[in-house]
Amino acid sequence: MTQLDSAPATQQAVRPGRKRDHTRDPEIMTAAMDVLAEVGYERMTVDMVAARAKAGKATLYRRWPSKADLVLDAVSCMGAAKAGVLPDTGSLRGDLVALLSPRTVHDADHKLKVMLGLASVIAHSPELAESIREAFLEPRAAVTRALLQRAKERGEIAPDCDVELLSTVSSSMVISRAMLEHRPVDRAFLLSVIDGVIIPAAGTGPAR
Amino acid sequence: MTQLDSAPATQQAVRPGRKRDHTRDPEIMTAAMDVLAEVGYERMTVDMVAARAKAGKATLYRRWPSKADLVLDAVSCMGAAKAGVLPDTGSLRGDLVALLSPRTVHDADHKLKVMLGLASVIAHSPELAESIREAFLEPRAAVTRALLQRAKERGEIAPDCDVELLSTVSSSMVISRAMLEHRPVDRAFLLSVIDGVIIPAAGTGPAR
DNA sequence: CATATACGGAACCGGTTAGTTTCGGAAACG
DNA sequence: CGTTTCCGAAACTAACCGGTTCCGTATATG
C-alpha cells in the first residue's frame, strides 16, 4: 500500500558508468507467472519470485511498487504475441480441431493455471479480471468467433445461431473442469466439446 | 494448514450442569460461508467469522481444529437439503426453464461466490474440490442430466447426444462468466444458454 | 443456592511475509 | 584505473493472522 513514486523516469540517457536500465523484466515476470501458476497468488511470496528469477527482492521493489502491481503487469504482458492466422480447412469442425495443436493446448494449460491461482483475487479486482480476460480468454474466443462467423456466412451452420455465446463455450467448460476436477487442458475433452456441444449447437445450415 | 481429518460432529449425553452441546454450529458455519463468499478463503480470518457469528474465537477452535476444517465442514453441510422434485412440463425447454426460480437462482449465486472464494484452495486440495463438486455442482448437474435423459427417452432430442456433457454446460458457463466478468448468476443469461446452446445441441429427435 | 460446563471477549505467542535498508561487487565508461 | 550506477544477497522492521490461554459470566441441573 505504501505508494512511493513508481517510475518518474528522471534519468534516461546512459550515464557515466552503467549497463542499461532494467533488462531483467521479462525473466522476472516469467518467474512471477510460473510461481503464480504453481502456488497461487496468496501463497506466492515476493521472495519466491526473486529467487526463481535469480534477482534480489529489492530489484523487484525498485521496479514495481507492490506485489499486486508486479502481478498485474505480468498478466498484462502475457497476452502479447498471439495473432496466429486463422486455420482454413473448409469445414467448421476441421477449423476448430486445427486449433488444438499441442503447442496451443500446452499454452492454454499454463494460462489456465495462472488464472486459477488468481481466482480469489479476480473476485475483488475488476481491473485484474479484465486483464485476464483480455490476455487469456478474449484472443481464443475471438478466433473461435471468427471461425463460426465464417461458417455461418458460407451457410454451413444455422443462420440464427448465437456465435457470441458459442465462442465462449469451450473456454468455459475447460475452466470449470480444471477448477473442480483437477484435469489439465486435454485434447480429448476439447474434442468432445467440439463434437458434442459446439458443432451440434451450431446447427446444420439453413437448408437443414 | 493441510486439510486433515474432517470433523465427526458428534456430541455426548448432556452432562451435569449445562445448557446443551454446541448449538451454535449452524450460525458459525453460516457466518463462515458468508465471509468466505465476501472475501475469499485467504483473506478470511477466523476472527471475522467469530465476530460475524457473535462467538468467541476460542469457541471455534473448541469445535474445529483449524480454519481449514471449519471451512471444509461448512462446505459439506451446505450441500444438504436439496432433492427437489423434477419439474415435468412436457418439454425439455419447459423443464429447464422451470428450474430457474428466483430462489434457486439466488441460491446458486451465493454458492458460486463461495466457490470462487475457495478457488485458489481448490487448486491445491482435491479433497475440498470434491466436497465442492458434490455439494454445489453435482446436485444441479444431476437434475439437468435427468431431464435430458427423460427427453431423450421420449424421443424429444437426438438419441446420440451427450447427456453427461450437456448437463455440465450451464454450470460451466455461469462459473466462468462470474469469474471473469463479475456478473451475478442471472436468469437472462441462463435462458440464453438454454436456448442458444443446450436445446440446439441436444438436437430435435431421431426423426430429425 | 452450589456446581459444573461452555460461552464470549480479550490478551497473548509465534511464524510468516510485504516492504525497506544496507552493503559488497560487477559492469560500462572515461 | 577510478568512477558511477545498478544489481543480488541478506538483514531488518512492522503488521497480520492462526492458534492458545485465561477469565468473567450465563445457564442449566440437583
Side-chain angles (χ1 to χ4, degrees), chain B residues 24 27-28 30-36 38-39 46-55:
Chain B
R24 311 228 25 215
E27 289 96 315
I28 294 174
T30 301
M33 289 299 95
D34 289 346
V35 175
L36 203 48
E38 283 170 26
V39 307
V46 179
D47 293 275
M48 282 185 208
V49 177
R52 161 134 1 180
K54 290 194 182 64

Side-chain angles (χ1 to χ4, degrees), chain B:
Chain B
M1 308 309 176
T2 57
Q3 288 81 349
L4 295 175
D5 59 327
S6 53
T10 53
Q11 80 304 333
Q12 45 277 39
V14 185
R15 273 283 169 272
R18 243 339 330 278
K19 180 170 17 186
R20 237 177 319 167
D21 252 62
H22 20 239
T23 40
R24 311 228 25 215
D25 281 18
E27 289 96 315
I28 294 174
M29 292 206 254
T30 301
M33 289 299 95
D34 289 346
V35 175
L36 203 48
E38 283 170 26
V39 307
Y41 180 82
E42 329 276 347
R43 294 176 196 255
M44 151 184 170
T45 71
V46 179
D47 293 275
M48 282 185 208
V49 177
R52 161 134 1 180
K54 290 194 182 64
K57 192 162 55 155
T59 303
L60 303 204
Y61 279 103
R62 269 178 220 119
R63 176 71 177 76
W64 294 275
S66 76
K67 171 180 169 180
D69 288 270
L70 165 63
V71 169
L72 188 57
D73 199 15
V75 167
S76 305
C77 290
M78 212 181 182
K82 248 281 173 164
V85 191
L86 288 188
D88 194 353
T89 64
S91 77
L92 174 59
R93 180 175 191 280
D95 289 348
L96 291 175
V97 171
L99 286 180
L100 309 183
S101 72
R103 170 79 180 130
T104 312
V105 170
H106 178 269
D107 249 40
D109 192 51
H110 187 250
K111 288 184 177 178
L112 186 65
K113 281 176 182 147
V114 170
M115 193 165 68
L116 290 187
L118 281 170
S120 68
V121 190
I122 287 174
H124 294 282
S125 163
E127 185 186 16
L128 181 60
E130 179 54 25
S131 288
I132 292 259
R133 227 168 55 78
E134 203 173 293
F136 296 177
L137 276 320
E138 185 46 32
R140 255 188 128 56
V143 172
T144 310
R145 194 185 304 124
L147 297 180
L148 283 164
Q149 193 58 45
R150 205 172 55 191
K152 182 186 276 189
E153 277 157 13
R154 69 175 174 245
E156 187 184 347
I157 63 178
D160 62 339
C161 75
D162 190 336
V163 167
E164 193 59 47
L165 192 63
L166 286 178
S167 69
T168 66
V169 167
S170 69
S171 315
S172 296
M173 297 197 63
V174 164
I175 288 172
S176 61
R177 178 181 171 91
M179 193 148 128
L180 275 310
E181 303 185 40
H182 274 210
R183 307 285 195 86
V185 178
D186 127 9
R187 188 185 164 85
F189 179 69
L190 284 164
L191 279 173
S192 75
V193 171
I194 291 174
D195 290 323
V197 184
I198 300 180
I199 297 283
T204 28
R208 242 287 146 187

